[in-house]
Amino acid sequence: MAFVTRQFVRSVSSSSAASAAAKKIIVKHVTVIGGGLMGAGIAQVAAATGHMVVLVDQTEDILAKSRRGIEDSLRRVAKKKFAENPKAGDEFVEKTLSSISTSTDAAAVVHSSDLVVEAIVENLTVKNELFKRLDKFAAEHTIFASNTSSLQITSIANATTRQDRFGGLHFFNPVPVMKLVEVIKTPMTSQKTFESLVDFSKALGKHPVSCKDTPGFIVNRLLVPYLMEAIRLHERASAGDASKEDIDTAMKLGAGYPMGPFELLDYVGLDTTKFIVDGWHELDVKDPKFQPSPALNKLVAEKKFGKKTGEGFYKYK
């Protein structure tokens, strides 16, 4: 009887262990598609936390620029983190860089990836084409994730045959500094996939929050209407409401925000904000929060996108 009991306990324990192992994918190898600020930042924090990373973009020139940016960022991190031990800082930088390789052929590298994170242009057609192609080359266990800030994850996932292994990982700029990651679960995302993405976010030293696949997720759904209302308040300035300078000052001193709405708009990019609002307006043309802004449309039409172009609501040297 004791033998049977021991056998039963061992069997239950083995089954429980197997069940637990089947629940999550432990992410070790990551492919990041897109070598811009967001993609490079994601690659950096993944490599710095012990992951093997392949950073992918269209040209070697773009990738070389991304790698230089990552190295500069790492040296700033090392200077603070290892202020009393510069040698350890140098070793940290070199070790992290050695964990990042680059490629211009995403299909050739995803076969060995546990996770593919996309951080390319906010264009649904382009994202769908990318994931449809990668779906044919990635391993069966590989999880796909998009860093989109405005598009529906479901609409992107539908281009693949792995909707259950597809979710959203929305990082914030600058990625090495900002602690938040929004983990997006669609109606098709499996619990195993969701938990794997949460665990990966924690492994990066981030604080994940969960959200369903609703437009704007959490932060942008609250932030963008606030930014648009600030623009409308300014547009009504001729009627005596408030100037953009006073609005920025009021929100910094009165609400404790580190940046005023117009400073933040210029930092994010007016073209990016317009793209998000236009997309939401198409989904619900009657919602007053998502109505187009003449002032924003005018600046974008004039290619005044904010800090990145030298002028937006403010001028920059």
Side-chain angles (χ1 to χ4, degrees):
M1 184 66 180
F3 173 76
V4 173
T5 302
R6 285 196 298 270
Q7 288 291 91
F8 176 74
V9 170
R10 278 200 294 267
S11 176
V12 170
S13 298
S14 298
S15 298
S16 298
S19 176
K23 285 182 180 179
K24 304 176 187 177
I25 297 294
I26 298 175
V27 176
K28 296 180 179 178
H29 294 83
V30 183
T31 297
V32 179
I33 314 292
L37 282 175
M38 295 303 295
I42 296 167
Q44 175 184 324
V45 296
T49 49
H51 300 84
M52 297 303 297
V53 180
V54 181
L55 181 60
V56 179
D57 213 308
Q58 294 177 313
T59 70
E60 294 291 353
D61 287 344
I62 294 173
L63 290 168
K65 182 179 179 182
S66 299
R67 196 171 180 85
R68 288 194 299 271
I70 291 171
E71 182 172 357
D72 290 344
S73 177
L74 283 170
R75 295 205 180 280
R76 288 194 296 272
V77 171
K79 190 174 182 180
K80 292 181 179 179
K81 190 175 181 179
F82 302 95
E84 298 180 3
N85 191 346
K87 184 179 179 182
D90 290 340
E91 290 173 355
F92 164 76
V93 172
E94 294 307 317
K95 182 179 179 182
T96 303
L97 288 174
S98 70
S99 297
I100 303 174
S101 58
T102 59
S103 176
T104 57
D105 188 353
V109 298
V110 294
H111 63 88
S112 60
S113 296
D114 300 313
L115 172 66
V116 176
V117 182
E118 165 270 313
I120 62 173
V121 62
E122 286 286 77
N123 183 300
L124 181 60
T125 301
V126 175
K127 291 180 189 290
N128 282 348
E129 289 173 352
L130 171 70
F131 279 118
K132 184 177 181 180
R133 180 165 177 259
L134 297 186
D135 194 32
K136 300 173 183 176
F137 295 94
E140 185 178 348
H141 79 278
T142 304
I143 295 172
F144 284 178
S146 175
N147 181 58
T148 181
S149 60
S150 61
L151 301 174
Q152 281 194 309
I153 301 296
T154 302
S155 298
I156 306 172
N158 284 341
T160 75
T161 60
R162 63 181 74 213
Q163 289 98 328
D164 60 321
R165 286 150 287 158
F166 206 118
L169 278 179
H170 183 215
F171 292 82
F172 291 81
N173 188 35
V175 178
V177 176
M178 301 295 280
K179 289 293 185 182
L180 183 68
V181 177
E182 292 175 324
V183 182
I184 315 305
K185 184 179 182 182
T186 77
M188 295 93 74
T189 305
S190 70
Q191 187 64 20
K192 170 185 172 180
T193 296
F194 172 72
E195 291 177 3
S196 298
L197 292 174
V198 168
D199 286 352
F200 172 69
S201 301
K202 290 179 179 177
L204 299 185
K206 302 301 184 185
H207 190 120
V209 294
S210 170
C211 184
K212 291 185 179 180
D213 194 16
T214 185
F217 314 135
I218 298 173
V219 174
N220 280 345
R221 186 58 182 260
L222 296 174
L223 179 63
V224 173
Y226 153 71
L227 296 175
M228 293 303 295
E229 187 58 28
I231 296 174
R232 294 188 186 101
L233 188 64
H234 174 54
E235 285 175 331
R236 296 193 298 266
S238 59
D241 282 0
S243 68
K244 60 180 183 290
E245 292 83 3
D246 282 348
I247 293 171
D248 277 350
T249 299
M251 293 310 295
K252 286 188 288 186
L253 300 184
Y257 289 5
M259 301 174 75
F262 292 97
E263 292 171 326
L264 185 56
L265 280 159
D266 279 355
Y267 180 78
V268 169
L270 304 189
D271 54 331
T272 301
T273 303
K274 175 176 161 53
F275 179 85
I276 293 171
V277 171
D278 287 350
W280 293 355
H281 180 62
E282 288 180 14
L283 292 174
D284 189 352
V285 295
K286 294 182 180 179
D287 194 323
K289 296 190 299 293
F290 308 143
Q291 293 302 308
S293 157
L296 179 63
N297 290 348
K298 181 176 184 294
L299 287 169
V300 172
E302 294 171 351
K303 306 296 183 184
K304 296 175 181 176
F305 299 155
K307 292 194 75 171
K308 61 187 174 185
T309 59
E311 184 176 355
F313 281 103
Y314 295 110
K315 291 184 178 180
Y316 303 88
K317 292 181 180 179

